[in-house]
PDB file of all heavy atoms in Angstrom:
ATOM      1  N   GLU A   1       0.854  -1.189   0.000  1.00 84.00           N
ATOM      2  CA  GLU A   1       0.000   0.000   0.000  1.00 84.00           C
ATOM      3  C   GLU A   1       0.891   1.241   0.000  1.00 84.00           C
ATOM      4  O   GLU A   1       1.047   1.925   1.006  1.00 84.00           O
ATOM      5  CB  GLU A   1      -0.937  -0.012   1.210  1.00 84.00           C
ATOM      6  CG  GLU A   1      -1.955  -1.140   1.177  1.00 84.00           C
ATOM      7  CD  GLU A   1      -2.908  -1.105   2.372  1.00 84.00           C
ATOM      8  OE1 GLU A   1      -2.783  -0.185   3.205  1.00 84.00           O
ATOM      9  OE2 GLU A   1      -3.776  -1.989   2.456  1.00 84.00           O
ATOM     10  N   VAL A   2       1.458   1.516  -1.141  1.00 84.00           N
ATOM     11  CA  VAL A   2       2.342   2.670  -1.306  1.00 84.00           C
ATOM     12  C   VAL A   2       1.894   3.474  -2.516  1.00 84.00           C
ATOM     13  O   VAL A   2       1.253   2.946  -3.432  1.00 84.00           O
ATOM     14  CB  VAL A   2       3.820   2.250  -1.470  1.00 84.00           C
ATOM     15  CG1 VAL A   2       4.354   1.637  -0.187  1.00 84.00           C
ATOM     16  CG2 VAL A   2       3.975   1.279  -2.637  1.00 84.00           C
ATOM     17  N   GLU A   3       2.227   4.752  -2.510  1.00 87.00           N
ATOM     18  CA  GLU A   3       1.941   5.655  -3.611  1.00 87.00           C
ATOM     19  C   GLU A   3       3.255   5.966  -4.344  1.00 87.00           C
ATOM     20  O   GLU A   3       4.348   5.731  -3.813  1.00 87.00           O
ATOM     21  CB  GLU A   3       1.308   6.948  -3.084  1.00 87.00           C
ATOM     22  CG  GLU A   3      -0.011   6.736  -2.358  1.00 87.00           C
ATOM     23  CD  GLU A   3      -1.104   6.201  -3.271  1.00 87.00           C
ATOM     24  OE1 GLU A   3      -1.054   6.508  -4.491  1.00 87.00           O
ATOM     25  OE2 GLU A   3      -1.988   5.475  -2.783  1.00 87.00           O
ATOM     26  N   PRO A   4       3.156   6.500  -5.570  1.00 85.00           N
ATOM     27  CA  PRO A   4       4.381   6.844  -6.304  1.00 85.00           C
ATOM     28  C   PRO A   4       5.361   7.692  -5.509  1.00 85.00           C
ATOM     29  O   PRO A   4       6.582   7.478  -5.590  1.00 85.00           O
ATOM     30  CB  PRO A   4       3.846   7.583  -7.535  1.00 85.00           C
ATOM     31  CG  PRO A   4       2.518   6.934  -7.791  1.00 85.00           C
ATOM     32  CD  PRO A   4       1.955   6.666  -6.426  1.00 85.00           C
ATOM     33  N   MET A   5       4.868   8.650  -4.713  1.00 87.00           N
ATOM     34  CA  MET A   5       5.778   9.496  -3.941  1.00 87.00           C
ATOM     35  C   MET A   5       6.508   8.685  -2.869  1.00 87.00           C
ATOM     36  O   MET A   5       7.656   8.993  -2.531  1.00 87.00           O
ATOM     37  CB  MET A   5       5.019  10.652  -3.304  1.00 87.00           C
ATOM     38  CG  MET A   5       4.527  11.692  -4.311  1.00 87.00           C
ATOM     39  SD  MET A   5       5.854  12.343  -5.373  1.00 87.00           S
ATOM     40  CE  MET A   5       6.898  13.142  -4.154  1.00 87.00           C
ATOM     41  N   ASP A   6       5.848   7.648  -2.337  1.00 87.00           N
ATOM     42  CA  ASP A   6       6.523   6.763  -1.370  1.00 87.00           C
ATOM     43  C   ASP A   6       7.669   6.018  -2.046  1.00 87.00           C
ATOM     44  O   ASP A   6       8.749   5.842  -1.466  1.00 87.00           O
ATOM     45  CB  ASP A   6       5.534   5.742  -0.788  1.00 87.00           C
ATOM     46  CG  ASP A   6       4.379   6.398  -0.048  1.00 87.00           C
ATOM     47  OD1 ASP A   6       4.621   7.391   0.658  1.00 87.00           O
ATOM     48  OD2 ASP A   6       3.249   5.910  -0.186  1.00 87.00           O
ATOM     49  N   ILE A   7       7.426   5.581  -3.291  1.00 84.00           N
ATOM     50  CA  ILE A   7       8.442   4.843  -4.031  1.00 84.00           C
ATOM     51  C   ILE A   7       9.635   5.745  -4.336  1.00 84.00           C
ATOM     52  O   ILE A   7      10.796   5.344  -4.201  1.00 84.00           O
ATOM     53  CB  ILE A   7       7.841   4.275  -5.328  1.00 84.00           C
ATOM     54  CG1 ILE A   7       6.694   3.305  -4.997  1.00 84.00           C
ATOM     55  CG2 ILE A   7       8.912   3.565  -6.162  1.00 84.00           C
ATOM     56  CD1 ILE A   7       5.908   2.837  -6.205  1.00 84.00           C
ATOM     57  N   LEU A   8       9.348   6.980  -4.735  1.00 86.00           N
ATOM     58  CA  LEU A   8      10.427   7.929  -5.000  1.00 86.00           C
ATOM     59  C   LEU A   8      11.245   8.209  -3.742  1.00 86.00           C
ATOM     60  O   LEU A   8      12.469   8.329  -3.797  1.00 86.00           O
ATOM     61  CB  LEU A   8       9.854   9.236  -5.554  1.00 86.00           C
ATOM     62  CG  LEU A   8       9.269   9.168  -6.967  1.00 86.00           C
ATOM     63  CD1 LEU A   8       8.606  10.487  -7.320  1.00 86.00           C
ATOM     64  CD2 LEU A   8      10.343   8.826  -7.986  1.00 86.00           C
ATOM     65  N   GLU A   9      10.563   8.288  -2.615  1.00 88.00           N
ATOM     66  CA  GLU A   9      11.269   8.528  -1.356  1.00 88.00           C
ATOM     67  C   GLU A   9      12.162   7.346  -1.004  1.00 88.00           C
ATOM     68  O   GLU A   9      13.293   7.530  -0.525  1.00 88.00           O
ATOM     69  CB  GLU A   9      10.264   8.774  -0.233  1.00 88.00           C
ATOM     70  CG  GLU A   9      10.879   8.967   1.150  1.00 88.00           C
ATOM     71  CD  GLU A   9      11.784  10.188   1.250  1.00 88.00           C
ATOM     72  OE1 GLU A   9      11.690  11.074   0.372  1.00 88.00           O
ATOM     73  OE2 GLU A   9      12.599  10.249   2.189  1.00 88.00           O
ATOM     74  N   GLU A  10      11.682   6.125  -1.256  1.00 88.00           N
ATOM     75  CA  GLU A  10      12.532   4.962  -1.002  1.00 88.00           C
ATOM     76  C   GLU A  10      13.734   4.949  -1.935  1.00 88.00           C
ATOM     77  O   GLU A  10      14.821   4.521  -1.547  1.00 88.00           O
ATOM     78  CB  GLU A  10      11.724   3.667  -1.147  1.00 88.00           C
ATOM     79  CG  GLU A  10      10.802   3.421   0.033  1.00 88.00           C
ATOM     80  CD  GLU A  10      10.214   2.030   0.049  1.00 88.00           C
ATOM     81  OE1 GLU A  10      10.509   1.227  -0.861  1.00 88.00           O
ATOM     82  OE2 GLU A  10       9.447   1.751   0.991  1.00 88.00           O
ATOM     83  N   GLY A  11      13.544   5.419  -3.170  1.00 86.00           N
ATOM     84  CA  GLY A  11      14.682   5.540  -4.067  1.00 86.00           C
ATOM     85  C   GLY A  11      15.725   6.499  -3.522  1.00 86.00           C
ATOM     86  O   GLY A  11      16.928   6.232  -3.577  1.00 86.00           O
ATOM     87  N   ARG A  12      15.250   7.620  -2.961  1.00 86.00           N
ATOM     88  CA  ARG A  12      16.169   8.589  -2.360  1.00 86.00           C
ATOM     89  C   ARG A  12      16.889   7.976  -1.168  1.00 86.00           C
ATOM     90  O   ARG A  12      18.103   8.177  -0.987  1.00 86.00           O
ATOM     91  CB  ARG A  12      15.400   9.831  -1.905  1.00 86.00           C
ATOM     92  CG  ARG A  12      16.286  10.963  -1.413  1.00 86.00           C
ATOM     93  CD  ARG A  12      15.482  12.001  -0.662  1.00 86.00           C
ATOM     94  NE  ARG A  12      14.969  11.445   0.581  1.00 86.00           N
ATOM     95  CZ  ARG A  12      15.693  11.305   1.684  1.00 86.00           C
ATOM     96  NH1 ARG A  12      16.964  11.659   1.704  1.00 86.00           N
ATOM     97  NH2 ARG A  12      15.151  10.792   2.775  1.00 86.00           N
ATOM     98  N   GLU A  13      16.168   7.199  -0.366  1.00 89.00           N
ATOM     99  CA  GLU A  13      16.777   6.561   0.799  1.00 89.00           C
ATOM    100  C   GLU A  13      17.787   5.491   0.378  1.00 89.00           C
ATOM    101  O   GLU A  13      18.818   5.307   1.043  1.00 89.00           O
ATOM    102  CB  GLU A  13      15.687   5.952   1.675  1.00 89.00           C
ATOM    103  CG  GLU A  13      14.797   6.999   2.346  1.00 89.00           C
ATOM    104  CD  GLU A  13      13.612   6.383   3.062  1.00 89.00           C
ATOM    105  OE1 GLU A  13      13.436   5.143   2.969  1.00 89.00           O
ATOM    106  OE2 GLU A  13      12.857   7.136   3.701  1.00 89.00           O
ATOM    107  N   ALA A  14      17.485   4.781  -0.722  1.00 88.00           N
ATOM    108  CA  ALA A  14      18.444   3.785  -1.221  1.00 88.00           C
ATOM    109  C   ALA A  14      19.736   4.468  -1.659  1.00 88.00           C
ATOM    110  O   ALA A  14      20.834   3.966  -1.398  1.00 88.00           O
ATOM    111  CB  ALA A  14      17.829   3.005  -2.391  1.00 88.00           C
ATOM    112  N   TRP A  15      19.610   5.611  -2.320  1.00 86.00           N
ATOM    113  CA  TRP A  15      20.803   6.359  -2.717  1.00 86.00           C
ATOM    114  C   TRP A  15      21.592   6.787  -1.488  1.00 86.00           C
ATOM    115  O   TRP A  15      22.832   6.694  -1.466  1.00 86.00           O
ATOM    116  CB  TRP A  15      20.406   7.578  -3.541  1.00 86.00           C
ATOM    117  CG  TRP A  15      21.520   8.572  -3.690  1.00 86.00           C
ATOM    118  CD1 TRP A  15      21.636   9.786  -3.114  1.00 86.00           C
ATOM    119  CD2 TRP A  15      22.710   8.397  -4.454  1.00 86.00           C
ATOM    120  NE1 TRP A  15      22.809  10.395  -3.462  1.00 86.00           N
ATOM    121  CE2 TRP A  15      23.494   9.566  -4.293  1.00 86.00           C
ATOM    122  CE3 TRP A  15      23.201   7.367  -5.269  1.00 86.00           C
ATOM    123  CZ2 TRP A  15      24.730   9.720  -4.907  1.00 86.00           C
ATOM    124  CZ3 TRP A  15      24.438   7.539  -5.877  1.00 86.00           C
ATOM    125  CH2 TRP A  15      25.178   8.699  -5.701  1.00 86.00           C
ATOM    126  N   ALA A  16      20.892   7.262  -0.441  1.00 84.00           N
ATOM    127  CA  ALA A  16      21.576   7.684   0.783  1.00 84.00           C
ATOM    128  C   ALA A  16      22.302   6.506   1.422  1.00 84.00           C
ATOM    129  O   ALA A  16      23.414   6.656   1.945  1.00 84.00           O
ATOM    130  CB  ALA A  16      20.565   8.295   1.759  1.00 84.00           C
ATOM    131  N   TRP A  17      21.676   5.321   1.371  1.00 84.00           N
ATOM    132  CA  TRP A  17      22.310   4.126   1.946  1.00 84.00           C
ATOM    133  C   TRP A  17      23.588   3.790   1.177  1.00 84.00           C
ATOM    134  O   TRP A  17      24.627   3.498   1.786  1.00 84.00           O
ATOM    135  CB  TRP A  17      21.339   2.949   1.889  1.00 84.00           C
ATOM    136  CG  TRP A  17      21.932   1.666   2.399  1.00 84.00           C
ATOM    137  CD1 TRP A  17      22.000   1.236   3.690  1.00 84.00           C
ATOM    138  CD2 TRP A  17      22.567   0.646   1.604  1.00 84.00           C
ATOM    139  NE1 TRP A  17      22.638   0.019   3.750  1.00 84.00           N
ATOM    140  CE2 TRP A  17      22.992  -0.367   2.502  1.00 84.00           C
ATOM    141  CE3 TRP A  17      22.790   0.501   0.232  1.00 84.00           C
ATOM    142  CZ2 TRP A  17      23.641  -1.517   2.042  1.00 84.00           C
ATOM    143  CZ3 TRP A  17      23.441  -0.638  -0.209  1.00 84.00           C
ATOM    144  CH2 TRP A  17      23.856  -1.630   0.684  1.00 84.00           C
ATOM    145  N   VAL A  18      23.519   3.817  -0.149  1.00 83.00           N
ATOM    146  CA  VAL A  18      24.704   3.529  -0.953  1.00 83.00           C
ATOM    147  C   VAL A  18      25.792   4.565  -0.679  1.00 83.00           C
ATOM    148  O   VAL A  18      26.970   4.224  -0.500  1.00 83.00           O
ATOM    149  CB  VAL A  18      24.350   3.513  -2.457  1.00 83.00           C
ATOM    150  CG1 VAL A  18      25.609   3.453  -3.312  1.00 83.00           C
ATOM    151  CG2 VAL A  18      23.445   2.329  -2.774  1.00 83.00           C
ATOM    152  N   HIS A  19      25.391   5.822  -0.627  1.00 77.00           N
ATOM    153  CA  HIS A  19      26.357   6.896  -0.403  1.00 77.00           C
ATOM    154  C   HIS A  19      27.055   6.725   0.941  1.00 77.00           C
ATOM    155  O   HIS A  19      28.247   7.009   1.088  1.00 77.00           O
ATOM    156  CB  HIS A  19      25.657   8.246  -0.460  1.00 77.00           C
ATOM    157  CG  HIS A  19      26.583   9.415  -0.501  1.00 77.00           C
ATOM    158  ND1 HIS A  19      27.067  10.015   0.636  1.00 77.00           N
ATOM    159  CD2 HIS A  19      27.126  10.081  -1.547  1.00 77.00           C
ATOM    160  CE1 HIS A  19      27.868  11.012   0.296  1.00 77.00           C
ATOM    161  NE2 HIS A  19      27.917  11.080  -1.022  1.00 77.00           N
ATOM    162  N   GLY A  20      26.311   6.229   1.929  1.00 74.00           N
ATOM    163  CA  GLY A  20      26.885   6.088   3.264  1.00 74.00           C
ATOM    164  C   GLY A  20      27.650   4.798   3.482  1.00 74.00           C
ATOM    165  O   GLY A  20      28.474   4.712   4.397  1.00 74.00           O
ATOM    166  N   ASN A  21      27.394   3.790   2.636  1.00 73.00           N
ATOM    167  CA  ASN A  21      28.001   2.479   2.857  1.00 73.00           C
ATOM    168  C   ASN A  21      28.944   2.020   1.755  1.00 73.00           C
ATOM    169  O   ASN A  21      29.622   1.012   1.913  1.00 73.00           O
ATOM    170  CB  ASN A  21      26.900   1.411   3.015  1.00 73.00           C
ATOM    171  CG  ASN A  21      26.123   1.579   4.304  1.00 73.00           C
ATOM    172  OD1 ASN A  21      26.527   1.105   5.351  1.00 73.00           O
ATOM    173  ND2 ASN A  21      24.997   2.288   4.236  1.00 73.00           N
ATOM    174  N   ALA A  22      28.966   2.715   0.652  1.00 63.00           N
ATOM    175  CA  ALA A  22      29.858   2.331  -0.446  1.00 63.00           C
ATOM    176  C   ALA A  22      30.723   3.528  -0.811  1.00 63.00           C
ATOM    177  O   ALA A  22      30.915   4.435  -0.008  1.00 63.00           O
ATOM    178  CB  ALA A  22      29.020   1.861  -1.650  1.00 63.00           C
ATOM    179  N   VAL A  23      31.237   3.516  -2.023  1.00 59.00           N
ATOM    180  CA  VAL A  23      32.096   4.614  -2.453  1.00 59.00           C
ATOM    181  C   VAL A  23      31.290   5.630  -3.241  1.00 59.00           C
ATOM    182  O   VAL A  23      30.280   5.305  -3.822  1.00 59.00           O
ATOM    183  CB  VAL A  23      33.269   4.091  -3.316  1.00 59.00           C
ATOM    184  CG1 VAL A  23      34.170   3.194  -2.506  1.00 59.00           C
ATOM    185  CG2 VAL A  23      32.751   3.401  -4.553  1.00 59.00           C
ATOM    186  N   ASN A  24      31.776   6.836  -3.262  1.00 45.00           N
ATOM    187  CA  ASN A  24      31.115   7.913  -3.983  1.00 45.00           C
ATOM    188  C   ASN A  24      31.697   7.990  -5.387  1.00 45.00           C
ATOM    189  O   ASN A  24      32.877   8.315  -5.554  1.00 45.00           O
ATOM    190  CB  ASN A  24      31.349   9.231  -3.245  1.00 45.00           C
ATOM    191  CG  ASN A  24      30.637  10.391  -3.914  1.00 45.00           C
ATOM    192  OD1 ASN A  24      30.027  10.240  -4.952  1.00 45.00           O
ATOM    193  ND2 ASN A  24      30.739  11.547  -3.300  1.00 45.00           N
ATOM    194  N   PRO A  25      30.905   7.749  -6.454  1.00 40.00           N
ATOM    195  CA  PRO A  25      31.456   7.784  -7.805  1.00 40.00           C
ATOM    196  C   PRO A  25      31.956   9.159  -8.219  1.00 40.00           C
ATOM    197  O   PRO A  25      32.756   9.274  -9.142  1.00 40.00           O
ATOM    198  CB  PRO A  25      30.274   7.342  -8.681  1.00 40.00           C
ATOM    199  CG  PRO A  25      29.070   7.649  -7.868  1.00 40.00           C
ATOM    200  CD  PRO A  25      29.471   7.428  -6.439  1.00 40.00           C
ATOM    201  N   LEU A  26      31.509  10.197  -7.530  1.00 36.00           N
ATOM    202  CA  LEU A  26      31.947  11.542  -7.899  1.00 36.00           C
ATOM    203  C   LEU A  26      33.373  11.833  -7.481  1.00 36.00           C
ATOM    204  O   LEU A  26      33.960  12.822  -7.918  1.00 36.00           O
ATOM    205  CB  LEU A  26      31.009  12.590  -7.269  1.00 36.00           C
ATOM    206  CG  LEU A  26      29.528  12.492  -7.654  1.00 36.00           C
ATOM    207  CD1 LEU A  26      28.762  13.650  -7.055  1.00 36.00           C
ATOM    208  CD2 LEU A  26      29.365  12.470  -9.164  1.00 36.00           C
ATOM    209  N   ARG A  27      33.937  10.977  -6.647  1.00 44.00           N
ATOM    210  CA  ARG A  27      35.296  11.254  -6.158  1.00 44.00           C
ATOM    211  C   ARG A  27      36.336  11.197  -7.282  1.00 44.00           C
ATOM    212  O   ARG A  27      37.448  11.698  -7.131  1.00 44.00           O
ATOM    213  CB  ARG A  27      35.666  10.262  -5.046  1.00 44.00           C
ATOM    214  CG  ARG A  27      35.848   8.831  -5.539  1.00 44.00           C
ATOM    215  CD  ARG A  27      35.784   7.833  -4.393  1.00 44.00           C
ATOM    216  NE  ARG A  27      36.806   8.090  -3.399  1.00 44.00           N
ATOM    217  CZ  ARG A  27      38.005   7.506  -3.404  1.00 44.00           C
ATOM    218  NH1 ARG A  27      38.308   6.673  -4.370  1.00 44.00           N
ATOM    219  NH2 ARG A  27      38.884   7.765  -2.466  1.00 44.00           N
ATOM    220  N   ARG A  28      35.975  10.591  -8.419  1.00 39.00           N
ATOM    221  CA  ARG A  28      36.911  10.501  -9.535  1.00 39.00           C
ATOM    222  C   ARG A  28      36.840  11.726 -10.442  1.00 39.00           C
ATOM    223  O   ARG A  28      37.634  11.871 -11.357  1.00 39.00           O
ATOM    224  CB  ARG A  28      36.610   9.246 -10.357  1.00 39.00           C
ATOM    225  CG  ARG A  28      36.726   7.960  -9.564  1.00 39.00           C
ATOM    226  CD  ARG A  28      36.584   6.763 -10.444  1.00 39.00           C
ATOM    227  NE  ARG A  28      37.672   6.682 -11.413  1.00 39.00           N
ATOM    228  CZ  ARG A  28      37.825   5.664 -12.251  1.00 39.00           C
ATOM    229  NH1 ARG A  28      36.977   4.665 -12.232  1.00 39.00           N
ATOM    230  NH2 ARG A  28      38.827   5.645 -13.105  1.00 39.00           N
ATOM    231  N   VAL A  29      35.865  12.588 -10.210  1.00 35.00           N
ATOM    232  CA  VAL A  29      35.707  13.765 -11.048  1.00 35.00           C
ATOM    233  C   VAL A  29      36.401  14.948 -10.387  1.00 35.00           C
ATOM    234  O   VAL A  29      36.182  15.234  -9.214  1.00 35.00           O
ATOM    235  CB  VAL A  29      34.211  14.081 -11.264  1.00 35.00           C
ATOM    236  CG1 VAL A  29      34.033  15.311 -12.145  1.00 35.00           C
ATOM    237  CG2 VAL A  29      33.508  12.874 -11.880  1.00 35.00           C
ATOM    238  N   GLN A  30      37.244  15.647 -11.160  1.00 36.00           N
ATOM    239  CA  GLN A  30      38.053  16.710 -10.585  1.00 36.00           C
ATOM    240  C   GLN A  30      37.316  18.031 -10.468  1.00 36.00           C
ATOM    241  O   GLN A  30      37.600  18.823  -9.618  1.00 36.00           O
ATOM    242  CB  GLN A  30      39.327  16.898 -11.432  1.00 36.00           C
ATOM    243  CG  GLN A  30      40.174  15.648 -11.500  1.00 36.00           C
ATOM    244  CD  GLN A  30      40.644  15.214 -10.131  1.00 36.00           C
ATOM    245  OE1 GLN A  30      41.127  16.015  -9.347  1.00 36.00           O
ATOM    246  NE2 GLN A  30      40.504  13.920  -9.834  1.00 36.00           N
ATOM    247  N   ARG A  31      36.338  18.266 -11.363  1.00 53.00           N
ATOM    248  CA  ARG A  31      35.626  19.538 -11.281  1.00 53.00           C
ATOM    249  C   ARG A  31      34.196  19.369 -11.774  1.00 53.00           C
ATOM    250  O   ARG A  31      33.899  18.514 -12.610  1.00 53.00           O
ATOM    251  CB  ARG A  31      36.338  20.598 -12.123  1.00 53.00           C
ATOM    252  CG  ARG A  31      36.365  20.292 -13.603  1.00 53.00           C
ATOM    253  CD  ARG A  31      37.036  21.407 -14.389  1.00 53.00           C
ATOM    254  NE  ARG A  31      37.000  21.149 -15.811  1.00 53.00           N
ATOM    255  CZ  ARG A  31      37.439  21.996 -16.733  1.00 53.00           C
ATOM    256  NH1 ARG A  31      37.975  23.140 -16.357  1.00 53.00           N
ATOM    257  NH2 ARG A  31      37.371  21.693 -18.025  1.00 53.00           N
ATOM    258  N   GLY A  32      33.309  20.182 -11.240  1.00 70.00           N
ATOM    259  CA  GLY A  32      31.915  20.165 -11.676  1.00 70.00           C
ATOM    260  C   GLY A  32      31.258  18.812 -11.522  1.00 70.00           C
ATOM    261  O   GLY A  32      31.592  18.017 -10.650  1.00 70.00           O
ATOM    262  N   LEU A  33      30.314  18.529 -12.403  1.00 80.00           N
ATOM    263  CA  LEU A  33      29.600  17.263 -12.408  1.00 80.00           C
ATOM    264  C   LEU A  33      30.300  16.256 -13.316  1.00 80.00           C
ATOM    265  O   LEU A  33      31.019  16.647 -14.238  1.00 80.00           O
ATOM    266  CB  LEU A  33      28.167  17.476 -12.886  1.00 80.00           C
ATOM    267  CG  LEU A  33      27.295  18.333 -11.964  1.00 80.00           C
ATOM    268  CD1 LEU A  33      25.949  18.592 -12.617  1.00 80.00           C
ATOM    269  CD2 LEU A  33      27.118  17.665 -10.612  1.00 80.00           C
ATOM    270  N   PRO A  34      30.078  14.978 -13.080  1.00 82.00           N
ATOM    271  CA  PRO A  34      30.733  13.964 -13.920  1.00 82.00           C
ATOM    272  C   PRO A  34      30.144  13.964 -15.327  1.00 82.00           C
ATOM    273  O   PRO A  34      29.045  14.475 -15.553  1.00 82.00           O
ATOM    274  CB  PRO A  34      30.420  12.659 -13.190  1.00 82.00           C
ATOM    275  CG  PRO A  34      29.139  12.937 -12.470  1.00 82.00           C
ATOM    276  CD  PRO A  34      29.238  14.369 -12.031  1.00 82.00           C
ATOM    277  N   PRO A  35      30.844  13.402 -16.293  1.00 86.00           N
ATOM    278  CA  PRO A  35      30.310  13.315 -17.663  1.00 86.00           C
ATOM    279  C   PRO A  35      28.984  12.557 -17.676  1.00 86.00           C
ATOM    280  O   PRO A  35      28.786  11.595 -16.929  1.00 86.00           O
ATOM    281  CB  PRO A  35      31.404  12.552 -18.413  1.00 86.00           C
ATOM    282  CG  PRO A  35      32.647  12.810 -17.626  1.00 86.00           C
ATOM    283  CD  PRO A  35      32.207  12.877 -16.190  1.00 86.00           C
ATOM    284  N   LEU A  36      28.092  13.001 -18.544  1.00 89.00           N
ATOM    285  CA  LEU A  36      26.758  12.413 -18.631  1.00 89.00           C
ATOM    286  C   LEU A  36      26.545  11.810 -20.013  1.00 89.00           C
ATOM    287  O   LEU A  36      26.750  12.475 -21.025  1.00 89.00           O
ATOM    288  CB  LEU A  36      25.687  13.482 -18.378  1.00 89.00           C
ATOM    289  CG  LEU A  36      24.250  13.062 -18.683  1.00 89.00           C
ATOM    290  CD1 LEU A  36      23.730  12.099 -17.623  1.00 89.00           C
ATOM    291  CD2 LEU A  36      23.344  14.280 -18.779  1.00 89.00           C
ATOM    292  N   PHE A  37      26.136  10.539 -20.044  1.00 91.00           N
ATOM    293  CA  PHE A  37      25.700   9.908 -21.287  1.00 91.00           C
ATOM    294  C   PHE A  37      24.203   9.673 -21.179  1.00 91.00           C
ATOM    295  O   PHE A  37      23.751   8.914 -20.330  1.00 91.00           O
ATOM    296  CB  PHE A  37      26.426   8.580 -21.525  1.00 91.00           C
ATOM    297  CG  PHE A  37      26.040   7.912 -22.815  1.00 91.00           C
ATOM    298  CD1 PHE A  37      26.711   8.216 -23.993  1.00 91.00           C
ATOM    299  CD2 PHE A  37      25.005   6.984 -22.858  1.00 91.00           C
ATOM    300  CE1 PHE A  37      26.364   7.602 -25.184  1.00 91.00           C
ATOM    301  CE2 PHE A  37      24.648   6.376 -24.044  1.00 91.00           C
ATOM    302  CZ  PHE A  37      25.320   6.679 -25.216  1.00 91.00           C
ATOM    303  N   ALA A  38      23.424  10.352 -22.017  1.00 88.00           N
ATOM    304  CA  ALA A  38      21.960  10.220 -21.982  1.00 88.00           C
ATOM    305  C   ALA A  38      21.483   9.627 -23.296  1.00 88.00           C
ATOM    306  O   ALA A  38      22.023   9.930 -24.360  1.00 88.00           O
ATOM    307  CB  ALA A  38      21.319  11.589 -21.748  1.00 88.00           C
ATOM    308  N   SER A  39      20.475   8.776 -23.230  1.00 89.00           N
ATOM    309  CA  SER A  39      19.922   8.172 -24.440  1.00 89.00           C
ATOM    310  C   SER A  39      18.412   8.045 -24.294  1.00 89.00           C
ATOM    311  O   SER A  39      17.870   8.052 -23.180  1.00 89.00           O
ATOM    312  CB  SER A  39      20.542   6.789 -24.673  1.00 89.00           C
ATOM    313  OG  SER A  39      20.219   5.916 -23.608  1.00 89.00           O
ATOM    314  N   HIS A  40      17.749   7.927 -25.441  1.00 88.00           N
ATOM    315  CA  HIS A  40      16.289   7.827 -25.402  1.00 88.00           C
ATOM    316  C   HIS A  40      15.797   7.223 -26.712  1.00 88.00           C
ATOM    317  O   HIS A  40      16.437   7.369 -27.763  1.00 88.00           O
ATOM    318  CB  HIS A  40      15.676   9.214 -25.214  1.00 88.00           C
ATOM    319  CG  HIS A  40      14.422   9.208 -24.393  1.00 88.00           C
ATOM    320  ND1 HIS A  40      14.341   9.762 -23.139  1.00 88.00           N
ATOM    321  CD2 HIS A  40      13.192   8.683 -24.636  1.00 88.00           C
ATOM    322  CE1 HIS A  40      13.119   9.617 -22.656  1.00 88.00           C
ATOM    323  NE2 HIS A  40      12.406   8.956 -23.542  1.00 88.00           N
ATOM    324  N   GLY A  41      14.653   6.555 -26.633  1.00 86.00           N
ATOM    325  CA  GLY A  41      14.011   6.013 -27.820  1.00 86.00           C
ATOM    326  C   GLY A  41      13.090   7.053 -28.448  1.00 86.00           C
ATOM    327  O   GLY A  41      12.280   7.670 -27.762  1.00 86.00           O
ATOM    328  N   GLY A  42      13.211   7.247 -29.761  1.00 85.00           N
ATOM    329  CA  GLY A  42      12.408   8.259 -30.436  1.00 85.00           C
ATOM    330  C   GLY A  42      10.925   7.950 -30.451  1.00 85.00           C
ATOM    331  O   GLY A  42      10.104   8.846 -30.660  1.00 85.00           O
ATOM    332  N   ARG A  43      10.552   6.689 -30.226  1.00 83.00           N
ATOM    333  CA  ARG A  43       9.138   6.306 -30.214  1.00 83.00           C
ATOM    334  C   ARG A  43       8.651   5.955 -28.805  1.00 83.00           C
ATOM    335  O   ARG A  43       7.702   5.192 -28.641  1.00 83.00           O
ATOM    336  CB  ARG A  43       8.910   5.127 -31.163  1.00 83.00           C
ATOM    337  CG  ARG A  43       9.161   5.498 -32.627  1.00 83.00           C
ATOM    338  CD  ARG A  43       8.803   4.375 -33.574  1.00 83.00           C
ATOM    339  NE  ARG A  43       9.050   4.745 -34.964  1.00 83.00           N
ATOM    340  CZ  ARG A  43       8.842   3.940 -36.006  1.00 83.00           C
ATOM    341  NH1 ARG A  43       8.393   2.697 -35.803  1.00 83.00           N
ATOM    342  NH2 ARG A  43       9.087   4.345 -37.235  1.00 83.00           N
TER     343      ARG A  43
END
């Protein structure tokens, strides 16, 4: 019995758990944000 906003909040909490228990991928980036590869289907 959850709503979409509950699911999004759990996603945020999962990220916080990873950030607190694993390594931070941003530590390899020297400045600004890391490189972004974005893709999408035209249909």
Side-chain angles (χ1 to χ4, degrees):
E1 294 182 1
V2 293
E3 299 295 331
M5 290 306 297
D6 299 320
I7 299 172
L8 290 174
E9 177 63 18
E10 285 192 0
R12 187 194 67 79
E13 292 172 356
W15 166 252
W17 177 85
V18 170
H19 191 272
N21 291 275
V23 296
N24 182 356
L26 301 185
R27 69 198 301 267
R28 300 187 64 175
V29 180
Q30 300 299 313
R31 64 178 183 176
L33 295 174
L36 170 73
F37 182 88
S39 63
H40 214 112
R43 294 186 180 179

